[in-house]
Amino acid sequence: MAGAVIVLGTVALLAGLFLWKGPTRINAGRSGRSIARYSWLERFNHWMVATSFVILGLTGLNITFGVYLLRPVIGPANFTALTWWSQAAHQFLSFPFVVGLAGMLAVWARDNWPTRVDVAWVKAGGPMAKGHPPAGRFNAAQKALFWFQIGGGAAAAITGYLLMAPAILDNITGQQVAHFVHGAMAMVMIAVILGHIYIGTIGTEGAFEAMSTGRVDFNYAREHHSVWVEEQLGEARRAVAPPDARAAGAD
């Protein structure tokens, strides 16, 4: 019951937020220029994790609530077949999910360490601030989501694998603890990821392009990740500068 309240409550909250506030627009409008944000490898890994998680979430919800919601609608025979395939998908798709989490950790951990810029972003009000506080490649909220997903995904995966190998948990208490941790963490992760999906799609203008094309509008990047944009521009200037270039006034 608590899991249903968490998930449905999150859906209702996001729907209310969209109806009340609508999407966050690019204040300066689209510039017509774009800047590279994610490589093809980063996007491939992200979509592997995202696809795996969506299917894991749906099959897990079916395993948990399907007997109450789906069985009366589709009948016992169809529900049994669906649940058998759901359980198989739930088990096998855990592997690309875990591999993808490890890939995220390897690729993005360096950019997700807290910095002074994050402290200033939070003090300024974060997502509730007027305007856009300076932020690096990822702001403080995105960094918190990243580490929560890594930690929560690890907890869900470990407890899930323990439940898949009951010989390891040879007592009722251990199995009950694993079931509780796995189910509770899954419900919380579903709720959090629903918020992530909202912000990254209809909730923020220009955000989805980052993971669909790998590039974002320059004004979007400058408003949401100004520190990162300046770093990218600085690297670009150094890359095109002649190797023997001298600073103005050096003579």
Side-chain angles (χ1 to χ4, degrees), residues 7 10-11 14-15 17-18 23 46-47 49-55 57-58 142 145 149 189-209 211:
V7 174
T10 301
V11 172
L14 294 175
L17 179 62
F18 182 78
H46 170 272
W47 287 116
V49 173
T51 303
S52 301
F53 182 81
V54 168
I55 298 176
L58 291 175
Q142 290 173 316
L145 171 64
Q149 185 173 359
M189 286 188 70
I190 289 173
V192 171
I193 296 302
L194 283 173
H196 172 61
I197 293 172
Y198 170 80
I199 294 171
T201 55
I202 63 174
T204 308
E205 181 185 7
F208 184 72
E209 296 160 18
M211 278 300 168

Side-chain angles (χ1 to χ4, degrees), residues 32-181:
R33 297 181 294 158
S34 65
I35 183 172
R37 181 138 175 83
Y38 296 118
S39 68
W40 71 267
L41 179 61
E42 290 174 310
R43 288 182 287 128
F44 174 83
N45 191 72
H46 170 272
W47 287 116
M48 180 174 70
V49 173
T51 303
S52 301
F53 182 81
V54 168
I55 298 176
L56 287 169
L58 291 175
T59 53
L61 289 173
N62 175 64
I63 294 169
T64 305
F65 302 112
V67 68
Y68 308 108
L69 300 177
L70 284 181
R71 184 175 176 178
V73 177
I74 65 177
N78 290 330
F79 175 72
T80 298
L82 175 64
T83 303
W84 189 91
W85 285 106
S86 294
Q87 183 175 357
H90 198 82
Q91 293 176 349
F92 285 108
L93 286 177
S94 66
F95 296 105
F97 175 72
V98 171
V99 170
L101 286 182
M104 285 184 171
L105 188 62
V107 174
W108 286 336
R110 181 182 63 179
D111 293 324
N112 278 281
W113 290 116
T115 66
R116 293 180 179 178
V117 174
D118 301 317
V119 175
W121 187 87
V122 173
K123 288 183 177 180
M128 305 304 294
K130 293 183 178 180
H132 298 283
R137 189 182 189 192
F138 301 109
N139 60 42
Q142 290 173 316
K143 291 180 179 181
L145 171 64
F146 174 82
W147 292 113
F148 170 77
Q149 185 173 359
I150 295 296
I158 291 171
T159 52
Y161 290 139
L162 289 175
L163 292 171
M164 289 167 60
I168 299 177
L169 298 174
D170 57 355
N171 60 82
I172 298 297
T173 301
Q175 293 180 6
Q176 288 177 332
V177 171
H179 267 292
F180 175 79
V181 173

